[in-house]
Amino acid sequence: MNTYTLRKWMIGVWLLVLFSAIGILFWYNSWVYLIPTPIPQNYKPVPVGSVLSIQGLTPEHKPTLLHFYNPDCPCSRFNLTHFRSLVKAYQSQVNFVVVVMSSKNYSIAAIQERIGLTLPVLFEKSVAEQCGVYSTPQAVLLTSEQQLFYRGNYNRSRYCTDEQTSYAKMALAKLVNHRVAGDFDALALKAYGCVLPVCQMPQ
């Protein structure tokens, strides 16, 4: 084997290893986002239909969507475009409030800049417990009477691109059209994403 052939062979092997590593990394990152978030040991379920009194929330006689958001959670970043689209479509009919779940300190202006929207922002972490939320991102939809209508995922796809499983969007459409929430499949209601109260993917 001459020097030129050996060099080509080494480059080929190096490229194979590189692309294999990239493929494995991509597969792992896709797989880890499909792992359900472990249910906390002391978790207390909050049934749909429960009347919730959220500190700092001013309903204004409209339904409210609480967007549980962690700036450091990759899943929260993945769904921002979808969340913005929901605000754009329903902001005249629904109040949107961002509930920040993070161990870091952020200002309201910093959160609004990160999500690209001027929305009310809450930092009270007890809101998650009140709503039965233990991961980010999660959507909680309340009726104008502050009854829990929907609590769950935005989508089964981490980038929220699957219209067939656009769960929060479906729940919004049902509520504003005065329909019952109905049944959602397990992927809608089983929490995925980053574990609260800090940004951590399921292991």
Side-chain angles (χ1 to χ4, degrees):
M1 184 181 296
N2 59 40
T3 304
Y4 177 73
T5 304
L6 179 61
R7 186 178 298 166
K8 284 180 64 177
W9 181 82
M10 290 178 66
I11 290 173
V13 170
W14 182 82
L15 288 174
L16 179 62
V17 171
L18 179 64
F19 284 116
S20 296
I22 291 172
I24 291 170
L25 186 63
F26 179 80
W27 172 83
Y28 174 77
N29 281 330
S30 297
W31 171 76
V32 77
Y33 291 116
L34 296 175
I35 301 174
T37 305
I39 299 175
Q41 193 171 19
N42 298 320
Y43 177 68
K44 295 179 181 178
V46 180
V48 169
S50 300
V51 177
L52 306 180
S53 179
I54 308 297
Q55 184 178 351
L57 189 64
T58 51
E60 298 177 13
H61 307 293
K62 289 196 296 185
T64 299
L65 186 143
L66 299 173
H67 173 57
F68 287 83
Y69 171 71
N70 185 336
D72 301 309
C73 175
C75 298
S76 283
R77 294 195 293 269
F78 293 154
N79 95 323
L80 269 179
T81 299
H82 179 66
F83 175 65
R84 292 184 192 116
S85 73
L86 295 181
V87 175
K88 183 178 180 181
Y90 289 99
Q91 60 186 342
S92 63
Q93 300 162 283
V94 176
N95 296 314
F96 288 85
V97 179
V98 179
V99 184
V100 179
M101 306 302 300
S102 176
S103 57
K104 299 179 181 178
N105 292 322
Y106 291 94
S107 66
I108 292 176
I111 296 298
Q112 291 173 337
E113 183 178 357
R114 281 175 177 262
I115 64 173
L117 296 166
T118 306
L119 295 174
V121 178
L122 298 179
F123 294 97
E124 182 53 61
K125 293 180 174 58
S126 64
V127 175
E129 185 177 354
Q130 284 182 266
C131 296
V133 169
Y134 55 91
S135 74
T136 57
Q138 285 275 285
V140 167
L141 189 55
L142 306 176
T143 68
S144 56
E145 291 79 28
Q146 301 304 288
Q147 286 184 300
L148 179 60
F149 186 84
Y150 172 79
R151 175 193 56 247
N153 300 309
Y154 282 89
N155 201 292
R156 68 174 296 175
S157 164
R158 60 176 171 167
Y159 294 107
C160 298
T161 52
D162 185 356
E163 278 297 317
Q164 298 300 314
T165 61
S166 191
Y167 303 119
K169 184 177 179 180
M170 293 174 189
L172 276 166
K174 288 179 179 180
L175 182 54
V176 299
N177 286 295
H178 308 290
R179 301 204 303 269
V180 296
D183 295 327
F184 286 93
D185 62 39
L187 287 172
L189 306 177
K190 187 178 293 183
Y192 292 81
C194 298
V195 182
L196 297 180
V198 295
C199 177
Q200 179 183 341
M201 291 304 300
Q203 301 298 316

